[in-house]
Amino acid sequence: MARQDHGSSSFEQSYRCYPVSFIDKAHLERGDKIIMPPSALDRLATLHIDYPMLFELHNPSAGRTSHCGVLEFIADEGMIYLPYWMMENMLLQEGDIVELRSTSLAKGTFVKLQPHTMDFLDISNPKAILETSLRSYSCLTTGDTIMVAYNNKKYYIDIVEAKPSSAISIIETDCEVDFAPPLDYKEPEKPKSIPISNKTSPEDMEEPAAKKPKFSAFTGSSRRLDGKPATQPAASTICPTLKQHQPETEKNGSKLLSPLSHQQSGNLVFGSTSNQPQNETPKVPLKKSTQEPPQKVEEPEFQAFTGRKYSLKG
């Protein structure tokens, strides 16, 4: 039920509000235009108001205020039809009472917007889409949430700041637009810096140790017992040769070390003194044995402990 104040120079009335979808005007959701009854037009025609007509909406039960324009005067008496997003901003339900008053707003010079989701920034040119969508709006109010439809999707945007006042008119004006980070925006996590320590880790200490050559036994140059140079290129093969020939010394019960030796294999025997008394001097002078040239034995391969035996006896 409408209440009119005929004694005032401004238009101020109360109406019951309903969504624009109730009168098949769903396209009005893309703007802030409302539908008013014909009696409101008759009253406004007698008043000295500014054009285009702008109105202030107030929900007394919730204490919420917004602003809008008007498109048509075809509503039933005592009713007005609002875009549903405006009813949500003002916490209005179907059939609630809303106060409507004519007003005049300054032209806006700056507005700061904040999208609800980052999907809005994925649009190829969000400013161009926003400029096109705001042509359906008459005014913007700080604290409101407007809806921008694009590509069969609805994007909700908060009005964070407006200049020169909290409510501005955007009809035929150049307004600077700025964007705040979306509500669901999360700053990328900074990589954790690894502290540089002067102490070397165990892995770093093992690396130079691994590069050092391994110790190899018996890597010196080989020498024959008779003083002649060895025919083998390296002495590192002595150890494998020992392992290969040691079992062969016991084949058929014979010993390769010396067929005349009475000692066990593996011992170096330069002379046999087992049959001589300890205090007896040798019968043969030392010079005689040294004058005898040693017999040269050419062996195909070097074998450990296989030199000729020399006797001090004559």
Side-chain angles (χ1 to χ4, degrees):
M1 185 175 184
R3 178 182 61 83
Q4 298 185 7
D5 189 0
H6 296 283
S8 176
S9 59
S10 64
F11 180 84
E12 185 176 355
Q13 293 185 3
S14 296
Y15 295 96
R16 292 191 180 274
C17 63
Y18 296 92
V20 291
S21 59
F22 278 26
I23 54 174
D24 297 332
K25 299 284 185 179
H27 63 280
L28 296 181
E29 291 288 345
R30 301 184 179 184
D32 63 347
K33 305 295 193 302
I34 66 173
I35 305 297
M36 298 177 65
S39 61
L41 179 59
D42 296 338
R43 173 61 179 161
L44 289 168
T46 61
L47 300 175
H48 298 283
I49 61 174
D50 296 331
Y51 289 88
M53 298 180 186
L54 299 177
F55 299 91
E56 178 185 299
L57 294 170
H58 179 67
N59 181 6
S61 60
R64 302 296 292 269
T65 302
S66 186
H67 298 80
C68 65
V70 60
L71 181 65
E72 294 178 319
F73 296 88
I74 59 173
D76 296 335
E77 290 297 330
M79 299 180 184
I80 60 173
Y81 296 94
L82 309 177
Y84 188 70
W85 65 266
M86 294 184 65
M87 296 182 63
E88 289 181 330
N89 285 340
M90 300 184 63
L91 305 178
L92 290 170
Q93 300 294 329
E94 299 173 3
D96 288 351
I97 299 296
V98 61
E99 294 180 359
L100 192 68
R101 183 177 61 182
S102 61
T103 186
S104 178
L105 299 177
K107 291 187 177 182
T109 58
F110 173 81
V111 62
K112 188 173 185 179
L113 308 176
Q114 185 176 32
H116 283 196
T117 60
M118 295 185 63
D119 296 344
F120 182 76
L121 302 180
D122 294 337
I123 301 175
S124 58
N125 193 349
K127 287 190 175 182
I129 299 302
L130 189 62
E131 180 182 355
T132 304
S133 301
L134 290 181
R135 292 176 183 175
S136 302
Y137 288 79
S138 302
C139 49
L140 297 175
T141 305
T142 303
D144 280 359
T145 300
I146 64 175
M147 189 272 294
V148 174
Y150 176 72
N151 199 16
N152 297 326
K153 191 173 182 179
K154 296 180 180 180
Y155 300 94
Y156 292 92
I157 301 174
D158 292 341
I159 311 299
V160 179
E161 184 182 357
K163 294 180 181 180
S165 61
S166 59
I168 58 174
S169 171
I170 58 173
I171 299 175
E172 296 180 357
T173 182
D174 293 332
C175 186
E176 182 182 354
V177 178
D178 189 16
F179 288 92
L183 295 179
D184 62 348
Y185 173 76
K186 295 181 179 180
E187 294 185 359
E189 296 181 358
K190 297 181 180 179
K192 297 181 180 179
S193 59
I194 301 175
I196 301 176
S197 177
N198 294 329
K199 298 180 180 180
T200 57
S201 60
E203 292 79 2
D204 297 337
M205 296 179 64
E206 290 179 0
E207 288 183 359
K211 295 179 181 179
K212 293 182 179 180
K214 295 182 179 180
F215 173 74
S216 300
F218 307 111
T219 56
S221 58
S222 60
R223 296 290 181 182
R224 287 168 57 103
L225 297 178
D226 54 2
K228 293 184 178 181
T231 58
Q232 294 295 328
S236 59
T237 57
I238 295 177
C239 295
T241 307
L242 283 174
K243 294 181 180 180
Q244 294 176 2
H245 290 281
Q246 281 180 0
E248 293 178 0
T249 57
E250 298 179 359
K251 291 182 180 180
N252 301 325
S254 61
K255 298 182 180 179
L256 296 177
L257 185 63
S258 176
L260 302 177
S261 174
H262 297 285
Q263 307 295 330
Q264 295 181 357
S265 61
N267 295 328
L268 282 175
V269 180
F270 290 94
S272 177
T273 57
S274 59
N275 297 326
Q276 294 182 2
Q278 296 180 358
N279 297 327
E280 184 180 358
T281 58
K283 297 179 180 181
V284 181
L286 183 60
K287 295 181 180 180
K288 185 178 181 179
S289 60
T290 56
Q291 292 177 359
E292 294 178 359
Q295 296 181 1
K296 297 181 180 180
V297 179
E298 296 293 336
E299 298 179 358
E301 293 181 359
F302 175 75
Q303 296 181 356
F305 309 115
T306 55
R308 295 288 296 178
K309 179 180 75 172
Y310 295 90
S311 176
L312 298 177
K313 296 189 297 183

